[in-house]
Amino acid sequence: MRRAVCPGSFDPVTNGHLDIVGRSSRLFDEVIVGVLINQSKQGLFTVDERIELLREVTACYGNVRVESFRGLLVDFCRAQEASVVVKGLRAVSDFDYELQMAQMNIGLAGVETLFMPTNPLYSFVSSSLVKEVAKWGGDVSAHLPEPVLARLADRLRSAGA
């Protein structure tokens, strides 16, 4: 079985993330969306909330599942019996960082990295940018799946943003 991992923090999941997951689901028998647990960063959404949202917005793909992980990505890949990591690249600046990670991953555990260019519609979209624009009342509806947009609006309202 050809199995791949799409890792990230997904705080929140964007249409750009979903584009990469959906395209990956056509290339692999199974895609595991790996939600990184990073205890040194306080996210807008908890890991459990991110997993719930991801499961909701990826439910249309029969071969995608969502799991959380902490520690090294290669250890998660090994535990999931996945030999490939799929990373979306928005710009050359993404490549500089991701190439180093890919080289480390192949050296540590033989895990390959597939770089997938982002759809130009999403080339400038990041979770951080979406949160910042939404916090100041900007319209981010074109960049988020509807369930995520609703949860983001609720979260920002309750936070007093």
Side-chain angles (χ1 to χ4, degrees), residues 45-84:
F45 293 100
T46 67
V47 170
D48 288 340
E49 289 171 324
R50 288 181 253 161
I51 289 170
E52 178 187 330
L53 285 167
L54 278 158
R55 285 181 176 155
E56 182 176 353
V57 300
T58 61
C60 60
Y61 304 111
N63 64 336
V64 173
R65 65 183 162 93
V66 181
E67 305 289 342
S68 65
F69 75 98
R70 63 173 36 97
L72 293 176
L73 175 58
V74 292
D75 291 339
F76 178 69
C77 290
R78 198 177 293 132
Q80 300 298 319
E81 298 180 352
S83 59
V84 178

Short mmCIF file of all heavy atoms in Angstrom, two decimals, residues 45-84:
data_model
loop_
_atom_site.label_atom_id
_atom_site.label_comp_id
_atom_site.label_asym_id
_atom_site.label_seq_id
_atom_site.Cartn_x
_atom_site.Cartn_y
_atom_site.Cartn_z
N PHE A 45 -6.68 27.25 17.92
CA PHE A 45 -7.51 26.07 18.15
C PHE A 45 -6.68 25.00 18.85
O PHE A 45 -5.49 24.87 18.58
CB PHE A 45 -8.04 25.51 16.82
CG PHE A 45 -9.01 26.41 16.12
CD1 PHE A 45 -8.59 27.20 15.07
CD2 PHE A 45 -10.33 26.47 16.51
CE1 PHE A 45 -9.47 28.05 14.42
CE2 PHE A 45 -11.23 27.31 15.88
CZ PHE A 45 -10.80 28.11 14.82
N THR A 46 -7.32 24.24 19.71
CA THR A 46 -6.62 23.13 20.36
C THR A 46 -6.34 22.05 19.31
O THR A 46 -6.95 22.04 18.23
CB THR A 46 -7.45 22.51 21.49
OG1 THR A 46 -8.60 21.87 20.92
CG2 THR A 46 -7.88 23.56 22.52
N VAL A 47 -5.45 21.15 19.62
CA VAL A 47 -5.15 20.05 18.71
C VAL A 47 -6.42 19.24 18.45
O VAL A 47 -6.70 18.87 17.30
CB VAL A 47 -4.01 19.16 19.26
CG1 VAL A 47 -3.87 17.89 18.43
CG2 VAL A 47 -2.71 19.93 19.28
N ASP A 48 -7.20 18.98 19.48
CA ASP A 48 -8.44 18.22 19.30
C ASP A 48 -9.41 18.94 18.38
O ASP A 48 -10.08 18.31 17.55
CB ASP A 48 -9.10 17.92 20.65
CG ASP A 48 -8.34 16.88 21.45
OD1 ASP A 48 -7.55 16.12 20.87
OD2 ASP A 48 -8.54 16.83 22.69
N GLU A 49 -9.50 20.26 18.51
CA GLU A 49 -10.38 21.03 17.62
C GLU A 49 -9.89 20.98 16.18
O GLU A 49 -10.69 20.84 15.24
CB GLU A 49 -10.46 22.49 18.08
CG GLU A 49 -11.25 22.68 19.37
CD GLU A 49 -11.13 24.08 19.93
OE1 GLU A 49 -10.03 24.70 19.83
OE2 GLU A 49 -12.14 24.56 20.49
N ARG A 50 -8.59 21.07 15.99
CA ARG A 50 -8.02 21.00 14.64
C ARG A 50 -8.29 19.63 14.02
O ARG A 50 -8.63 19.53 12.83
CB ARG A 50 -6.53 21.30 14.66
CG ARG A 50 -6.25 22.77 14.91
CD ARG A 50 -4.78 23.06 14.89
NE ARG A 50 -4.35 23.30 16.26
CZ ARG A 50 -3.12 23.24 16.69
NH1 ARG A 50 -2.15 22.89 15.90
NH2 ARG A 50 -2.84 23.49 17.94
N ILE A 51 -8.13 18.59 14.81
CA ILE A 51 -8.40 17.24 14.31
C ILE A 51 -9.88 17.11 13.92
O ILE A 51 -10.20 16.58 12.85
CB ILE A 51 -8.00 16.18 15.36
CG1 ILE A 51 -6.48 16.12 15.47
CG2 ILE A 51 -8.59 14.81 15.02
CD1 ILE A 51 -5.97 15.29 16.64
N GLU A 52 -10.75 17.60 14.76
CA GLU A 52 -12.19 17.55 14.47
C GLU A 52 -12.52 18.29 13.17
O GLU A 52 -13.24 17.77 12.32
CB GLU A 52 -12.95 18.17 15.64
CG GLU A 52 -14.45 18.23 15.46
CD GLU A 52 -15.12 19.01 16.59
OE1 GLU A 52 -14.60 19.03 17.72
OE2 GLU A 52 -16.17 19.62 16.31
N LEU A 53 -11.98 19.50 13.02
CA LEU A 53 -12.22 20.27 11.80
C LEU A 53 -11.65 19.56 10.57
O LEU A 53 -12.31 19.48 9.52
CB LEU A 53 -11.62 21.67 11.92
CG LEU A 53 -12.39 22.64 12.81
CD1 LEU A 53 -11.56 23.88 13.11
CD2 LEU A 53 -13.72 23.03 12.15
N LEU A 54 -10.44 19.04 10.70
CA LEU A 54 -9.84 18.33 9.58
C LEU A 54 -10.64 17.09 9.19
O LEU A 54 -10.82 16.82 8.00
CB LEU A 54 -8.39 17.95 9.90
CG LEU A 54 -7.37 19.05 9.68
CD1 LEU A 54 -6.11 18.80 10.49
CD2 LEU A 54 -7.03 19.16 8.19
N ARG A 55 -11.10 16.36 10.16
CA ARG A 55 -11.91 15.17 9.85
C ARG A 55 -13.20 15.56 9.14
O ARG A 55 -13.63 14.89 8.20
CB ARG A 55 -12.20 14.38 11.13
CG ARG A 55 -10.97 13.62 11.59
CD ARG A 55 -11.20 12.79 12.83
NE ARG A 55 -9.99 12.03 13.14
CZ ARG A 55 -9.67 11.60 14.33
NH1 ARG A 55 -10.47 11.83 15.38
NH2 ARG A 55 -8.55 10.93 14.53
N GLU A 56 -13.78 16.67 9.56
CA GLU A 56 -15.01 17.14 8.92
C GLU A 56 -14.76 17.54 7.46
O GLU A 56 -15.52 17.14 6.57
CB GLU A 56 -15.59 18.32 9.70
CG GLU A 56 -16.90 18.83 9.13
CD GLU A 56 -17.52 19.93 9.97
OE1 GLU A 56 -17.02 20.23 11.08
OE2 GLU A 56 -18.53 20.50 9.50
N VAL A 57 -13.70 18.30 7.22
CA VAL A 57 -13.49 18.83 5.86
C VAL A 57 -12.78 17.85 4.93
O VAL A 57 -12.72 18.10 3.72
CB VAL A 57 -12.78 20.21 5.88
CG1 VAL A 57 -13.61 21.22 6.64
CG2 VAL A 57 -11.38 20.12 6.43
N THR A 58 -12.27 16.75 5.47
CA THR A 58 -11.66 15.72 4.60
C THR A 58 -12.54 14.48 4.50
O THR A 58 -12.14 13.51 3.86
CB THR A 58 -10.25 15.32 5.10
OG1 THR A 58 -10.35 14.76 6.42
CG2 THR A 58 -9.29 16.49 5.07
N ALA A 59 -13.72 14.52 5.07
CA ALA A 59 -14.60 13.35 5.08
C ALA A 59 -14.96 12.90 3.65
O ALA A 59 -15.28 11.72 3.44
CB ALA A 59 -15.87 13.65 5.88
N CYS A 60 -14.92 13.80 2.70
CA CYS A 60 -15.27 13.46 1.31
C CYS A 60 -14.22 12.57 0.65
O CYS A 60 -14.47 11.98 -0.40
CB CYS A 60 -15.48 14.73 0.49
SG CYS A 60 -14.04 15.81 0.43
N TYR A 61 -13.06 12.45 1.25
CA TYR A 61 -11.99 11.59 0.71
C TYR A 61 -12.01 10.27 1.48
O TYR A 61 -11.74 10.24 2.67
CB TYR A 61 -10.62 12.25 0.86
CG TYR A 61 -10.53 13.62 0.23
CD1 TYR A 61 -10.40 14.75 1.01
CD2 TYR A 61 -10.58 13.77 -1.15
CE1 TYR A 61 -10.32 16.01 0.43
CE2 TYR A 61 -10.50 15.02 -1.74
CZ TYR A 61 -10.38 16.13 -0.94
OH TYR A 61 -10.30 17.37 -1.51
N GLY A 62 -12.27 9.21 0.79
CA GLY A 62 -12.38 7.91 1.44
C GLY A 62 -11.05 7.34 1.91
O GLY A 62 -11.03 6.38 2.68
N ASN A 63 -9.95 7.91 1.45
CA ASN A 63 -8.64 7.35 1.79
C ASN A 63 -7.79 8.31 2.63
O ASN A 63 -6.57 8.20 2.65
CB ASN A 63 -7.89 6.96 0.52
CG ASN A 63 -7.57 8.15 -0.38
OD1 ASN A 63 -8.24 9.18 -0.33
ND2 ASN A 63 -6.57 7.99 -1.22
N VAL A 64 -8.42 9.25 3.32
CA VAL A 64 -7.71 10.21 4.16
C VAL A 64 -8.13 10.00 5.61
O VAL A 64 -9.32 9.89 5.91
CB VAL A 64 -8.00 11.67 3.73
CG1 VAL A 64 -7.40 12.67 4.71
CG2 VAL A 64 -7.47 11.92 2.32
N ARG A 65 -7.13 9.95 6.48
CA ARG A 65 -7.44 9.93 7.91
C ARG A 65 -6.58 10.98 8.61
O ARG A 65 -5.56 11.42 8.08
CB ARG A 65 -7.28 8.55 8.52
CG ARG A 65 -5.92 7.97 8.54
CD ARG A 65 -5.97 6.53 9.13
NE ARG A 65 -4.79 5.78 8.81
CZ ARG A 65 -3.72 5.70 9.59
NH1 ARG A 65 -3.70 6.30 10.77
NH2 ARG A 65 -2.68 4.99 9.23
N VAL A 66 -7.00 11.37 9.79
CA VAL A 66 -6.35 12.45 10.52
C VAL A 66 -5.87 11.92 11.87
O VAL A 66 -6.65 11.30 12.60
CB VAL A 66 -7.32 13.64 10.73
CG1 VAL A 66 -6.62 14.78 11.46
CG2 VAL A 66 -7.89 14.12 9.40
N GLU A 67 -4.60 12.16 12.18
CA GLU A 67 -4.00 11.73 13.44
C GLU A 67 -3.12 12.85 13.97
O GLU A 67 -2.63 13.68 13.19
CB GLU A 67 -3.12 10.49 13.23
CG GLU A 67 -3.80 9.30 12.58
CD GLU A 67 -4.81 8.61 13.46
OE1 GLU A 67 -4.76 8.81 14.69
OE2 GLU A 67 -5.65 7.87 12.92
N SER A 68 -2.89 12.85 15.25
CA SER A 68 -1.94 13.82 15.83
C SER A 68 -0.62 13.11 16.10
O SER A 68 -0.57 11.88 16.19
CB SER A 68 -2.50 14.42 17.11
OG SER A 68 -2.64 13.42 18.10
N PHE A 69 0.43 13.92 16.21
CA PHE A 69 1.73 13.35 16.57
C PHE A 69 2.57 14.40 17.27
O PHE A 69 2.34 15.60 17.14
CB PHE A 69 2.46 12.79 15.34
CG PHE A 69 3.05 13.83 14.42
CD1 PHE A 69 4.40 14.17 14.49
CD2 PHE A 69 2.27 14.47 13.47
CE1 PHE A 69 4.95 15.11 13.65
CE2 PHE A 69 2.82 15.41 12.60
CZ PHE A 69 4.16 15.74 12.69
N ARG A 70 3.54 13.92 18.03
CA ARG A 70 4.54 14.80 18.65
C ARG A 70 5.90 14.19 18.37
O ARG A 70 6.02 13.02 18.07
CB ARG A 70 4.29 14.98 20.14
CG ARG A 70 4.38 13.72 20.96
CD ARG A 70 4.29 13.94 22.48
NE ARG A 70 3.42 14.99 22.91
CZ ARG A 70 2.16 14.84 23.33
NH1 ARG A 70 1.65 13.63 23.37
NH2 ARG A 70 1.45 15.85 23.72
N GLY A 71 6.90 15.02 18.43
CA GLY A 71 8.24 14.51 18.19
C GLY A 71 8.61 14.58 16.73
O GLY A 71 8.12 15.43 15.98
N LEU A 72 9.48 13.67 16.32
CA LEU A 72 10.00 13.68 14.96
C LEU A 72 8.97 13.16 13.96
O LEU A 72 8.34 12.11 14.18
CB LEU A 72 11.26 12.82 14.86
CG LEU A 72 12.49 13.31 15.61
CD1 LEU A 72 13.62 12.29 15.48
CD2 LEU A 72 12.93 14.68 15.11
N LEU A 73 8.86 13.88 12.86
CA LEU A 73 7.96 13.46 11.78
C LEU A 73 8.33 12.08 11.26
O LEU A 73 7.45 11.26 10.99
CB LEU A 73 8.01 14.49 10.65
CG LEU A 73 7.24 14.16 9.39
CD1 LEU A 73 5.76 13.93 9.68
CD2 LEU A 73 7.43 15.27 8.36
N VAL A 74 9.62 11.78 11.16
CA VAL A 74 10.03 10.47 10.65
C VAL A 74 9.58 9.33 11.57
O VAL A 74 9.27 8.24 11.10
CB VAL A 74 11.54 10.38 10.36
CG1 VAL A 74 11.92 11.29 9.19
CG2 VAL A 74 12.37 10.68 11.59
N ASP A 75 9.55 9.58 12.87
CA ASP A 75 9.06 8.57 13.80
C ASP A 75 7.57 8.33 13.59
O ASP A 75 7.09 7.19 13.63
CB ASP A 75 9.33 8.97 15.24
CG ASP A 75 10.82 8.95 15.58
OD1 ASP A 75 11.59 8.26 14.87
OD2 ASP A 75 11.21 9.62 16.56
N PHE A 76 6.82 9.41 13.36
CA PHE A 76 5.39 9.29 13.06
C PHE A 76 5.20 8.52 11.76
O PHE A 76 4.35 7.61 11.68
CB PHE A 76 4.75 10.68 12.98
CG PHE A 76 3.29 10.66 12.63
CD1 PHE A 76 2.34 10.17 13.51
CD2 PHE A 76 2.86 11.15 11.40
CE1 PHE A 76 0.99 10.16 13.19
CE2 PHE A 76 1.51 11.14 11.07
CZ PHE A 76 0.57 10.65 11.96
N CYS A 77 5.97 8.85 10.74
CA CYS A 77 5.88 8.14 9.46
C CYS A 77 6.15 6.66 9.64
O CYS A 77 5.43 5.81 9.10
CB CYS A 77 6.85 8.74 8.44
SG CYS A 77 6.39 10.38 7.86
N ARG A 78 7.18 6.34 10.39
CA ARG A 78 7.53 4.94 10.65
C ARG A 78 6.37 4.22 11.35
O ARG A 78 6.00 3.10 10.95
CB ARG A 78 8.80 4.88 11.49
CG ARG A 78 9.50 3.55 11.47
CD ARG A 78 10.81 3.57 12.26
NE ARG A 78 11.80 4.43 11.63
CZ ARG A 78 12.52 5.35 12.28
NH1 ARG A 78 12.39 5.53 13.58
NH2 ARG A 78 13.40 6.08 11.63
N ALA A 79 5.79 4.86 12.36
CA ALA A 79 4.67 4.26 13.10
C ALA A 79 3.45 4.05 12.21
O ALA A 79 2.68 3.11 12.41
CB ALA A 79 4.31 5.12 14.30
N GLN A 80 3.29 4.92 11.22
CA GLN A 80 2.14 4.83 10.31
C GLN A 80 2.45 3.99 9.06
O GLN A 80 1.58 3.83 8.20
CB GLN A 80 1.70 6.23 9.87
CG GLN A 80 1.29 7.14 11.00
CD GLN A 80 0.10 6.62 11.76
OE1 GLN A 80 -0.85 6.10 11.18
NE2 GLN A 80 0.15 6.71 13.08
N GLU A 81 3.69 3.49 8.98
CA GLU A 81 4.16 2.73 7.82
C GLU A 81 4.01 3.55 6.53
O GLU A 81 3.60 3.05 5.48
CB GLU A 81 3.45 1.39 7.72
CG GLU A 81 3.73 0.49 8.92
CD GLU A 81 3.04 -0.85 8.84
OE1 GLU A 81 2.20 -1.08 7.94
OE2 GLU A 81 3.33 -1.69 9.71
N ALA A 82 4.35 4.83 6.63
CA ALA A 82 4.31 5.74 5.48
C ALA A 82 5.74 6.06 5.07
O ALA A 82 6.57 6.43 5.90
CB ALA A 82 3.57 7.02 5.85
N SER A 83 6.02 5.94 3.79
CA SER A 83 7.38 6.16 3.31
C SER A 83 7.55 7.51 2.62
O SER A 83 8.64 7.84 2.17
CB SER A 83 7.79 5.05 2.36
OG SER A 83 6.89 5.00 1.26
N VAL A 84 6.46 8.29 2.55
CA VAL A 84 6.50 9.56 1.84
C VAL A 84 5.82 10.66 2.67
O VAL A 84 4.77 10.42 3.27
CB VAL A 84 5.79 9.47 0.47
CG1 VAL A 84 5.77 10.81 -0.26
CG2 VAL A 84 6.43 8.40 -0.41
#
